[in-house]
């Protein structure tokens, strides 16, 4: 009994000692600031301080050997440079954001918090302090010479890019509902992370599309961006798990994911489709008269017909039966035609005709190689059409019980 008891006590003591050694690299009494996904953005990304951050794993022998040196450096730099540590084994998502693949990994967050630099120096407190002071000296010189725009979060970085990004609306946890949820406009919202390479590749395309979409839809479709690493309430609400994620918001409907291409032309095309789906019916006569006046030097003829009244003609142009209103431009000499594939609006029609006027645009041969016969029809009376009245079906004489009995057999 005594041996087993002693053995049990000895094992219990060793277990406790190992637990403390593995989980206690840093404590609240140290000058090293413990960082987590909850406080990282507020403490580091939105900070105006220079930060040295160690990403470590408690079980890592190299991390354990670095710990006393890291603590000494933190104490020496207190009040000058912030020194932090992230348990990247526990908070793997945070380590993944910064490409941490081994331990320990040390990164320097300087003027541009979105571009952390890898620390490649020695692992003594002296080497760490020297590197911190060197980074601080460079930062101060940049400020003095005006080369630095100061410290910036992801949101500030996106807004500081100049005129090419002026039409991308930056949204936050505080401004999102007021601008998007209660809006009659359509919103395409990109959720991004400043460190994400795909997001950086998308940024110029998104900005260029925002300007074009604003012009073509008269601001009825808006392109916006949310820094999901800062505005975590929104990211959690909409289940953002990867970057960039683009969602489409329309009043009274649940948001849907945009899964199209990431070029400006892809984004613009989707935005114009959304605009067309949500725009009020165009005053067709007014629009066509305006286009006829604008392109009158082209000596184009203008015709219109009721959908379905010239079925042979529609079939030869690949329209037939759906997608109304539709518009086709026909070259009678070459027997080729082009279809309007953008929004059926003044902007969409103008873009279509402009492309044709300079010899661009996709064309196809008229089906059958010749125009089908045009049928004479009654002129439109200017009134909206009516659906045919369906005959009422009297089911009073049908024995439903008998039907159900047969079904069961």
């Amino acid at each position: 009994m005594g041996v087993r008891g002693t053995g049990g006590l000895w094992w219990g003591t060793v277990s406790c000692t190992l637990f403390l050694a593995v989980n206690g690299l840093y404590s609240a009494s140290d000058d090293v600031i413990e960082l987590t996904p909850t406080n990282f953005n507020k403490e580091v990304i939105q900070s105006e301080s220079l930060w040295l951050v160690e990403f470590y794993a408690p079980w890592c022998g190299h991390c354990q050997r670095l710990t006393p040196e890291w603590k000494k450096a933190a104490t020496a730099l207190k009040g000058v440079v912030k020194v932090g540590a992230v348990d990247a084994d526990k908070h793997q998502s945070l380590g993944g954001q910064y490409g941490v693949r081994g331990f320990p990994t040390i990164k320097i967050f300087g003027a541009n918090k979105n571009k952390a630099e890898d620390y490649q120096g020695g692992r003594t407190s002296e080497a760490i302090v020297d590197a911190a002071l060197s980074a601080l000296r460079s930062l101060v010189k940049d400020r003095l010479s005006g080369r630095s725009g100061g410290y910036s979060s992801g949101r500030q970085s996106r807004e500081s890019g100049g005129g090419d990004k002026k039409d991308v609306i930056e949204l936050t946890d505080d401004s999102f509902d007021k601008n998007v949820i209660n809006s009659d406009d359509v919103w395409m919202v990109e959720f991004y992370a400043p460190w994400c390479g795909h997001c950086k590749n998308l940024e110029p395309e998104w900005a260029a599309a925002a300007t074009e979409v604003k012009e073509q839809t008269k601001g009825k479709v808006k392109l916006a961006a949310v820094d999901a690493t800062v505005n975590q309430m929104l990211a959690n609400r909409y289940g953002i798990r990867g970057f960039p994620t683009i969602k489409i918001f329309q009043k009274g409907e649940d948001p849907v994911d945009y899964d199209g291409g990431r070029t400006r032309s892809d984004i613009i095309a989707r935005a114009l489709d959304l605009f067309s789906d949500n725009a009020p019916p165009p005053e067709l006569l007014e629009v066509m008269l305006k286009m006829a006046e604008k392109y009158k030097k082209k000596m184009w003829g203008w015709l219109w017909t009721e959908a379905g009244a010239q079925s042979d003609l529609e079939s030869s142009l690949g329209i037939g039966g759906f997608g109304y209103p539709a518009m086709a431009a026909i070259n009678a000499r070459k027997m080729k035609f082009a279809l309007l594939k953008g929004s059926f609006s003044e902007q969409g029609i103008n873009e279509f005709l402009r492309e044709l006027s300079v010899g661009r645009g996709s064309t196809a041969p008229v089906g059958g190689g010749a125009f089908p016969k045009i049928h004479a029809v009654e002129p439109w009376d200017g009134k909206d059409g009516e659906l045919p009245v369906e005959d009422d079906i009297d089911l009073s004489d049908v024995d439903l019980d008998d039907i159900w009995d047969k079904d069961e057999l």
Side-chain angles (χ1 to χ4, degrees):
M1 291 287 293
V3 174
R4 286 197 296 272
T6 303
L9 177 61
W10 177 81
W11 172 245
T13 303
V14 172
S15 297
C16 181
T17 302
L18 286 175
F19 178 82
L20 290 174
V22 168
N23 292 278
L25 294 191
Y26 301 103
S27 67
S29 62
D30 297 322
D31 292 316
V32 176
I33 302 170
E34 291 205 64
L35 299 168
T36 69
T38 302
N39 68 0
F40 193 89
N41 284 289
K42 182 178 179 181
E43 292 287 348
V44 180
I45 301 300
Q46 299 180 32
S47 167
E48 292 194 352
S49 299
L50 180 74
W51 276 82
L52 267 65
V53 179
E54 175 203 3
F55 294 83
Y56 71 92
W59 46 260
C60 164
H62 295 296
C63 301
Q64 293 168 16
R65 285 190 288 275
L66 174 64
T67 298
E69 300 299 317
W70 197 246
K71 290 180 180 180
K72 288 180 186 177
T75 300
L77 293 168
K78 188 174 182 178
V80 180
V81 173
K82 297 289 185 87
V83 178
V86 174
D87 183 344
D89 187 54
K90 181 179 181 181
H91 305 298
Q92 295 182 12
S93 61
L94 192 53
Q97 289 182 14
Y98 294 99
V100 174
R101 296 291 181 267
F103 305 113
T105 292
I106 299 173
K107 290 185 177 286
I108 301 173
F109 292 81
N112 186 347
K113 294 296 196 297
N114 301 321
K115 292 185 178 180
E117 298 178 10
D118 288 327
Y119 170 75
Q120 303 289 359
R123 294 183 180 177
T124 65
S125 57
E126 291 82 1
I128 295 166
V129 168
D130 286 344
L133 295 178
S134 177
L136 185 62
R137 189 178 300 108
S138 297
L139 184 149
V140 172
K141 285 184 177 180
D142 285 344
R143 285 182 178 179
L144 189 62
S145 64
R147 289 197 298 270
S148 172
Y151 297 89
S152 63
S153 68
R155 176 172 63 255
Q156 292 168 319
S157 173
R158 298 277 292 212
E159 291 176 346
S160 65
D164 60 336
K165 303 173 190 173
K166 68 183 186 301
D167 295 316
V168 175
I169 302 169
E170 197 74 27
L171 298 169
T172 66
D173 286 338
D174 296 329
S175 67
F176 188 89
D177 286 358
K178 179 177 66 176
N179 283 281
V180 179
I181 302 302
N182 300 321
S183 173
D184 291 325
D185 300 327
V186 178
W187 287 75
M188 298 178 71
V189 182
E190 174 207 359
F191 293 83
Y192 71 93
W195 46 262
C196 164
H198 295 299
C199 302
K200 293 174 184 177
N201 293 335
L202 175 63
E203 188 173 359
E205 303 296 317
W206 194 248
T211 299
E212 184 71 16
V213 168
K214 180 180 179 181
E215 178 183 342
Q216 292 206 35
T217 68
K218 304 299 183 185
K220 292 299 182 181
V221 179
K222 294 178 169 61
L223 269 64
V226 173
D227 183 344
T229 66
V230 173
N231 302 286
Q232 296 184 4
M233 183 183 76
L234 285 174
N236 291 333
R237 182 199 297 182
Y238 294 111
I240 306 302
R241 296 290 180 266
F243 305 111
T245 293
I246 300 172
K247 288 185 176 287
I248 299 170
F249 294 83
Q250 301 181 74
K251 190 172 184 179
E253 299 182 18
D254 292 333
V256 297
D257 288 333
Y258 167 79
D259 54 5
R262 294 182 181 177
T263 66
R264 68 193 70 187
S265 59
D266 291 325
I267 298 164
I268 291 170
R270 184 70 178 100
L272 293 181
D273 284 343
L274 291 167
F275 175 67
S276 179
D277 291 343
N278 289 272
E283 292 294 335
L284 192 56
L285 179 58
E286 180 183 340
V287 171
M288 299 308 291
L289 287 174
K290 189 172 183 179
M291 292 298 104
E293 175 65 23
K294 183 171 184 177
Y295 292 96
K296 63 183 179 182
K297 292 183 179 180
K298 296 293 182 181
M299 302 298 289
W300 290 340
W302 298 81
L303 302 170
W304 73 275
T305 182
E306 179 184 356
Q310 304 290 343
S311 58
D312 292 338
L313 177 60
E314 290 185 18
S315 179
S316 68
L317 300 177
I319 300 173
F322 65 93
Y324 302 116
M327 183 176 186
I330 306 169
N331 186 320
R333 181 172 58 84
K334 296 182 178 180
M335 293 304 293
K336 290 187 175 183
F337 72 96
L339 290 179
L340 168 65
K341 295 182 180 179
S343 64
F344 203 93
S345 62
E346 180 179 334
Q347 293 81 12
I349 294 172
N350 180 54
E351 178 67 20
F352 171 61
L353 297 177
R354 185 176 64 186
E355 290 289 298
L356 292 174
S357 68
V358 295
R360 293 199 296 264
S362 176
T363 62
V366 174
F371 281 126
K373 181 180 178 180
I374 304 299
H375 302 288
V377 296
E378 291 294 324
W380 180 43
D381 60 8
K383 298 179 181 179
D384 291 337
E386 296 181 359
L387 293 173
V389 178
E390 295 183 358
D391 295 332
D392 292 332
I393 301 175
D394 186 1
L395 297 177
S396 60
D397 295 332
V398 179
D399 188 347
L400 295 179
D401 290 335
D402 185 47
I403 293 175
W404 289 335
D405 289 341
K406 289 179 181 178
D407 288 342
E408 290 174 358
L409 292 175

